[in-house]
């Protein structure tokens, strides 16, 4: 991994693509190469586990400060309790975003900076879960993390209000943090929330338009705002807490944004071709909802006969017996291949940005392991 980053650093700024980056990131490494061991996801899982251990106490303390009516919804959403208030051993998510905060802080400032950034990492995770609670209501998703979504259990109003409260808790964590970077971090996170809302607005507006009325540029911009913005913000907050300069903060933001787009591309592929055991949702749920995900829009705008067929299918109400036909149309029109190729391209751009900010390739291993982890997700 370190050798790859060193090679990337030799490329001129603004290089549009590093060919084959996904394959490079996924190749096996013997233990000791780059100081990281095999590229089989174990390193990333260990980083995520450490992040969850560091951040969970801050998250739980923040949630405990909520009024009881919203606290029970938040506890359920995080998987800590059942709907009746009894303890649960559910998943609170992979902690990718807080892990990025901590890994970025460590990459630029070492272990001390990582320890100082725990509150910022918790704030990012609270904002992420605010978006999940709201998105589930707006998208009418009935399942998340292999259990019913909060709105289906407590109602729309309670889920929305709990999400609002989580966003407020995130900003309060930063406002009360004595770290010198907390003010800049709070402003950046607030700007990110605005961008997230704009991305969600664009997403919902697109769903009201016809299948041939959305361009690929539009859906890529929407995906960057909805997904890339928060991953970029997470990396930028870690850099701020490490005392990094403006250029390095911007480069890590760009790294997170591009990795976020790769993440969304893979997630959209899984949303079509992934099974319930991986997604926690029924197979083909995005197609059933007629979502204009990235592979679908790429297919619709491909100019192929299969694109015209897909447009006709998408203009009709969903019928279960037509699901496999719709999947095949997306694939024949090139949507799946385009999304996978684009994910590799975006990861190449991400690694190039990281190389600008981190002078020591060894120090970037944590961020690279997390970037690899999100692109190794597959159907």
């Amino acid at each position: 991994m370190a050798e790859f980053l060193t090679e990337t650093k030799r490329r001129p700024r603004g290089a549009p693509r590093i060919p084959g980056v996904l394959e490079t990131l996924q190749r096996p490494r013997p233990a000791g190469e780059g100081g990281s061991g095999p590229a089989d996801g174990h390193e990333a899982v260990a980083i995520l586990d450490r992040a969850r251990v560091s951040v969970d106490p801050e998250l739980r303390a923040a949630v405990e400060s909520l009024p009881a009516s919203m606290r029970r919804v938040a506890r359920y959403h995080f998987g800590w309790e059942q709907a009746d208030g009894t303890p649960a051993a559910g998943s609170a998510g992979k902690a990718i975003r807080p892990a990025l905060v901590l890994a970025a802080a460590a990459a630029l400032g070492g272990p001390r900076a990582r320890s100082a950034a725990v509150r910022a990492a918790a704030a990012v995770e609270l904002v992420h879960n605010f978006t999940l609670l709201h998105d589930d209501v707006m998208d009418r998703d009935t399942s998340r993390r292999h259990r019913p979504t909060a709105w289906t259990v407590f109602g729309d109003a309670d889920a929305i209000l709990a999400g609002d409260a989580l966003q407020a808790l995130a900003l309060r964590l930063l406002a009360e943090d004595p770290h010198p970077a907390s003010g800049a971090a709070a402003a950046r996170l607030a700007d990110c929330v605005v961008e997230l809302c704009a991305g969600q607005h664009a997403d919902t507006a697109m769903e009201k338009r016809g299948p041939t009325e959305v361009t690929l540029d539009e859906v890529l911009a929407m995906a960057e705002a909805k997904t890339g913005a928060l991953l970029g913000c997470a990396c930028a907050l870690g850099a701020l807490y490490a005392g990094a300069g403006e250029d390095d903060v911007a480069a890590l933001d760009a790294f997170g944004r591009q990795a976020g787009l790769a993440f969304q591309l893979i997630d959209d592929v899984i949303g079509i071709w992934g099974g319930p055991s991986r997604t926690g949702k029924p197979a083909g749920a995005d197609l059933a909802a007629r979502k204009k995900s990235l592979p679908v829009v790429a297919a619709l705008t491909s100019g192929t006969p299969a694109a015209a067929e897909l447009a006709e299918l998408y203009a009709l109400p969903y019928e279960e017996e037509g699901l496999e036909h719709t999947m095949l149309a997306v694939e024949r029109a090139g949507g799946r291949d385009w999304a996978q190729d684009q994910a590799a391209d975006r990861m190449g751009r991400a690694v190039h940005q990281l190389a600008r900010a981190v002078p020591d390739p060894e120090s970037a291993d944590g961020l690279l392991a997390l970037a690899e982890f999100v692109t190794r997700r597959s159907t």
Side-chain angles (χ1 to χ4, degrees):
M1 194 73 78
E3 289 177 3
F4 178 64
L5 182 57
T6 303
E7 178 63 27
T8 303
K9 288 170 73 72
R10 299 192 189 111
R11 295 179 61 82
R13 287 191 181 188
R17 175 169 181 156
I18 303 172
V21 64
L22 193 59
E23 292 77 13
T24 305
L25 285 170
Q26 291 181 341
R27 75 168 185 262
R29 292 176 294 169
E33 181 186 331
S36 302
D40 57 4
H42 290 172
E43 181 187 0
V45 170
I47 293 170
L48 293 168
D49 287 345
R50 289 196 299 272
R52 179 61 71 197
V53 169
S54 297
V55 170
D56 261 6
E58 288 282 356
L59 282 178
R60 288 179 180 269
V63 169
E64 286 305 304
S65 72
L66 291 174
S69 59
M70 286 175 282
R71 188 167 64 237
R72 66 174 189 147
V73 180
R75 285 172 172 171
Y76 173 84
H77 170 75
F78 278 110
W80 302 335
E81 288 185 356
Q82 305 289 0
D84 62 4
T86 57
S91 170
K94 295 183 178 66
I96 289 169
R97 290 153 191 84
L100 285 170
V101 176
L102 300 179
L108 288 168
R112 184 172 295 181
R114 183 193 184 280
S115 297
V118 168
R119 189 171 292 185
V124 168
E125 185 72 340
L126 286 167
V127 164
H128 174 54
N129 282 276
F130 138 70
T131 67
L132 297 183
L133 282 161
H134 282 206
D135 286 1
D136 286 343
V137 173
M138 286 183 274
D139 296 342
R140 311 315 284 173
D141 283 338
T142 58
S143 177
R144 179 173 295 281
R145 298 168 183 159
H146 308 284
R147 67 198 309 224
T149 46
W151 73 268
T152 66
V153 176
F154 301 101
D156 289 1
D158 281 5
I160 291 169
L161 291 169
D164 291 341
L166 294 186
Q167 182 193 165
L169 288 179
L171 295 175
R172 190 179 75 186
L173 278 181
L174 294 175
E176 293 177 347
D177 191 350
H179 194 283
S182 62
R188 197 171 195 109
L189 188 58
D191 285 343
C192 180
V193 168
V194 173
E195 188 173 358
L196 291 168
C197 292
Q200 179 64 13
H201 181 272
D203 190 19
T204 55
M206 284 178 192
E207 296 310 312
K208 299 174 184 176
R209 292 158 61 182
T212 61
E213 296 173 358
V214 176
T215 69
L216 201 49
D217 285 344
E218 283 181 300
V219 77
L220 281 167
M222 178 272 293
E224 180 176 347
K226 275 195 65 173
T227 304
L230 189 55
L231 270 70
C233 183
C235 295
L237 262 59
L240 286 170
Y241 271 70
E246 188 175 321
D247 288 347
D248 287 346
V249 172
L252 278 185
D253 184 277
F255 162 77
R257 283 176 179 270
Q258 294 299 329
L261 272 173
F263 176 97
Q264 188 60 56
L265 284 152
I266 296 300
D267 198 62
D268 282 357
V269 169
I270 293 171
I272 296 173
W273 292 280
S277 63
R278 297 192 63 87
T279 65
K281 301 176 182 180
D286 286 357
L287 295 182
R290 295 300 191 243
K291 288 187 69 66
K292 296 179 182 69
S293 63
L294 287 158
V296 167
V297 175
L300 286 167
T301 57
S302 66
T304 63
E309 179 186 3
L310 179 61
E312 290 179 7
L313 290 167
Y314 248 53
L316 299 172
Y318 168 70
E319 294 182 359
E320 187 173 352
E321 57 269 23
L323 180 60
E324 186 174 351
H325 190 190
T326 308
M327 285 183 183
L328 288 172
V330 177
E331 192 152 9
R332 287 200 305 270
R336 188 173 189 169
D337 287 343
W338 175 88
Q340 291 171 332
D341 289 345
Q342 187 71 197
D345 181 70
R346 296 295 175 166
M347 281 306 307
R349 299 186 196 192
V351 175
H352 178 63
Q353 291 294 334
L354 180 59
R356 294 174 51 203
V358 183
D360 176 15
E362 299 288 336
S363 299
D365 265 2
L367 286 167
L368 285 167
L370 292 171
E372 176 192 2
F373 178 80
V374 301
T375 58
R376 284 173 67 93
R377 301 167 75 236
S378 60
T379 55

